[in-house]
Amino acid sequence: MALIAPRVTPGLPADDARNLARSLQDSDDITVFVDGTVHRLPNEARDAVVDLLARLSRGETVTVSSVEEMLTTSQAAELAGISHTYLRNMTDRGEIPVEYRGTHRRIRQAAIIAWLETQKKRQQAEASAGAEESTDSHS
C-alpha cells in the first residue's frame, strides 16, 4: 500500500470544539449533505467521519490521508481479466507501471483501472472507425 499525501487540519477553536462535542454526544446518526442532497453514509464511512469530528471536537490537530491499494500481479491480472503472464509481459514493457517489494511486483489498483479505461476507449475508437469505413464503402 502506498500513502497518498495527507491533509492536516488544525484543531478547532475552543467554542467550535465545544459546540461540535455537544452535537456528537450520544449521536450515531451522521447525515451528509452534498450540493443539497442528503446522503446516508455506510457504517464504515460513518465511523470514520464520527471519529474525525470527535477528534476535532477535542481541539486535536487531525491528519487525513488514504492508502492506495497495491495489488499482486495475480490480483491485478484477475481485476483486468487477463492472464498473469500477459500482465507480467506488459509490466516488463513498461505499459503498466510496477513497483518492486524485494523481488515481488506490486501494481497500483489505479494503474489497472486506468489501463482498462484506455482499452475501452481504444475499442470504442476502433468500433467507430469500423462503422465509418462500412458506411463509406456502401456509398
Side-chain angles (χ1 to χ4, degrees):
M1 293 190 195
L3 185 65
I4 297 173
R7 175 181 175 186
V8 178
T9 302
L12 295 175
D15 286 344
D16 291 339
R18 273 192 300 278
N19 290 337
L20 182 55
R22 270 194 299 275
S23 297
L24 289 172
Q25 197 170 13
D26 300 323
S27 176
D28 66 346
D29 180 29
I30 302 296
T31 302
V32 176
F33 291 88
V34 178
D35 289 333
T37 302
V38 176
H39 294 276
R40 189 161 206 49
L41 297 177
N43 291 341
E44 297 83 3
R46 185 203 64 227
D47 293 346
V49 169
V50 169
D51 182 56
L52 171 72
L53 294 174
R55 291 169 190 262
L56 288 170
S57 75
R58 294 189 298 265
E60 297 176 18
T61 296
V62 177
T63 301
V64 177
S65 66
S66 58
V67 177
E68 185 173 15
E69 184 79 27
M70 297 295 285
L71 306 173
T72 65
T73 52
S74 295
Q75 292 168 324
E78 184 177 338
L79 177 62
I82 57 177
S83 75
H84 182 259
T85 303
Y86 185 66
L87 178 77
R88 279 196 335 264
N89 290 337
M90 286 196 307
T91 63
D92 290 344
R93 292 189 302 264
E95 294 174 32
I96 292 182
V98 66
E99 296 178 24
Y100 285 89
R101 302 290 189 267
T103 59
H104 300 284
R105 300 173 205 225
R106 294 294 179 262
I107 300 168
R108 294 179 189 275
Q109 182 174 346
I112 294 299
I113 292 170
W115 179 81
L116 287 169
E117 285 298 315
T118 300
Q119 295 303 303
K120 183 179 177 181
K121 288 177 184 174
R122 184 181 57 79
Q123 290 171 348
Q124 289 172 340
E126 288 173 359
S128 293
E132 287 176 14
E133 280 183 24
S134 175
T135 304
D136 291 344
S137 66
H138 288 94
S139 300

